[in-house]
Amino acid sequence: MAGKAVVVALGGNAILRHRETGTAEEQFANVRCAARHIAEIAGDGYAVVITHGNGPQVGDILLRNELTKDILPPMPLDVCGAESQGMIGYMLAQSMQEALLAAGVDCPIATVLTRTLVAAADPAFEIPEKPIGPIYTAMQAKRLETEKGWRMVQMPGQGYRRVVPSPRPIALVEGEAIRRLSSAGVVVIAAGGGGVPVIKGPGGTLRGVEAVVDKDYTAALLARLVGAGDLLILTDVERVALNYGRPDQQDLSEMTVAEARRHLLAGQFPAGSMGPKIEAAVGFLDAGGDRVTIGSLGSATAALAGRAGTRIRR
Ligand code: ADP
Ligand code: MG
């Protein structure tokens, strides 16, 4: 039985918007906007677990590593992912504290640095296709391929970017800790950026890998873990659309899981953006979740109440 718990997934792009420069103040302002809504949701009696993306932020961390590589050793991708969880987790914790206080809601907050178990045999490791980090020239790309063994791809009209595998999450290493915190009434911030991907090594050890897990799949896993009835995915569009970006675009306020599956198969939702959200939604609903709502950061409360965004039902 799904309880009155909700997992709220914040898009990395909604926290650091394309047209912005990415200062801490800008990111704080975007996070604060979401936090006010989430505090209201907590005030309504929901057990809230917050997760978030990290694409633009980890991109900045990688660029910073690249620019200072002659004086400081660059950190591997798993360490950069952990760094981004700390950075965004801190901004969320600060903003949630403030928002809960303002809303008169008394509950503790904890940010849990989370590792996500992935399978070493995941087929994604054979075909790295998630672009990350800065854009390089053809010459730099060649050098990185030979020196570091990175897989580089040419981005149309931009230059070259590194691509890494994006395996599916199997379990959260900190899962039981997150579940206990949440059921004890703690607002938990967890599994940022999909969690740091780790694989099982000999003797039960875990090893961080150079990969990224899509935060939407991890959000669905998190929702099942805490027995949430609702999964609320907040991004930078108001609604899921059919024929997105075309003159005949049609925004949807509702979809059944069967319709969602059909539109997925028809190619309405691209792999790098809306696709994972809809696939995660379908997976969560199939596993017993009640509702998935996809909407914007600024209309989170209305979306959870079914008055904004796109609602997907079993
Ligand atoms: P996030 O950081 O929240 O995961 P993404 O960029 O991965 O954000 O996904 C949200 C983006 O998906 C939107 O900004 C929009 O441009 C794009 N998108 C692609 N297809 C659709 C669609 N069918 N309906 C709505 N948005 C779509
Ligand atoms: Mg995304």
Side-chain angles (χ1 to χ4, degrees):
M1 245 292 274
K4 205 183 174 184
V6 56
V7 168
V8 184
L10 304 173
N13 293 311
I15 299 173
L16 201 174
R17 297 188 173 126
H18 294 303
R19 60 183 178 282
E20 296 177 341
T21 52
T23 64
E25 288 75 17
E26 282 170 349
Q27 298 190 56
F28 259 117
N30 294 329
V31 169
R32 259 192 215 110
C33 163
R36 276 194 292 272
H37 284 274
I38 301 170
E40 205 177 312
I41 291 167
D44 284 341
Y46 281 92
V48 177
V49 177
I50 305 168
T51 188
H52 59 84
N54 72 345
Q57 292 81 5
V58 89
D60 282 4
I61 293 170
L62 291 168
L63 177 59
R64 207 171 282 132
N65 270 276
E66 180 65 36
L67 295 174
T68 55
K69 67 177 186 301
D70 297 328
I71 43 173
L72 292 168
M75 292 293 128
L77 188 55
D78 55 332
V79 178
C80 294
E83 188 180 337
S84 78
Q85 281 191 36
M87 179 175 85
I88 305 169
Y90 164 68
M91 292 196 269
L92 274 164
Q94 288 282 81
S95 306
M96 279 307 298
Q97 190 105 47
E98 192 178 290
L100 288 170
L101 196 68
V105 183
D106 181 25
C107 58
I109 304 166
T111 305
V112 179
L113 200 148
T114 310
R115 293 164 294 169
T116 300
L117 184 69
V118 301
D122 192 296
F125 286 106
E126 303 293 321
I127 16 159
E129 52 187 7
K130 175 79 184 169
I132 55 151
I135 292 163
Y136 297 96
T137 64
M139 232 166 71
Q140 289 172 317
K142 192 109 221 104
R143 186 178 52 76
L144 289 166
E145 273 175 338
T146 45
E147 278 179 14
K148 298 203 181 190
W150 287 2
R151 175 83 66 98
M152 309 295 290
V153 296
Q154 189 167 14
M155 310 300 289
Q158 291 185 39
Y160 290 77
R161 282 184 88 189
R162 181 183 181 194
V163 283
V164 296
S166 187
R168 294 299 177 102
I170 297 173
L172 304 180
V173 179
E174 284 75 16
E176 186 53 25
I178 294 166
R179 202 189 58 73
R180 289 192 204 180
L181 280 170
S182 177
S183 59
V186 177
V187 170
V188 186
I189 300 158
V196 178
V198 295
I199 56 173
K200 276 214 178 95
T205 55
L206 297 172
R207 185 164 64 80
V209 288
E210 299 261 329
V212 293
V213 179
D214 196 291
K215 71 107 182 23
D216 298 314
Y217 297 131
T218 304
L221 193 67
L222 203 49
R224 290 206 294 278
L225 175 80
V226 300
D230 280 278
L231 171 59
L232 179 60
I233 301 177
L234 302 177
T235 182
D236 56 0
V237 288
E238 291 296 333
R239 287 194 157 95
V240 180
L242 296 180
N243 308 323
Y244 179 73
R246 300 211 318 236
D248 58 346
Q249 173 172 333
Q250 184 198 343
D251 287 0
L252 302 172
S253 53
E254 263 198 334
M255 244 191 302
T256 64
V257 74
E259 286 168 334
R261 212 180 263 115
R262 190 154 44 78
H263 297 318
L264 252 177
L265 282 173
Q268 288 284 348
F269 312 125
S273 56
M274 192 50 73
K277 297 185 204 317
I278 305 292
E279 268 191 58
V282 169
F284 173 62
L285 294 169
D286 282 349
D290 294 327
R291 285 166 299 271
V292 176
T293 314
I294 300 173
S296 73
L297 219 76
S299 52
T301 320
L304 187 62
R307 287 182 276 107
T310 302
R311 169 66 51 90
I312 309 171
R313 294 174 186 285
R314 224 179 326 154

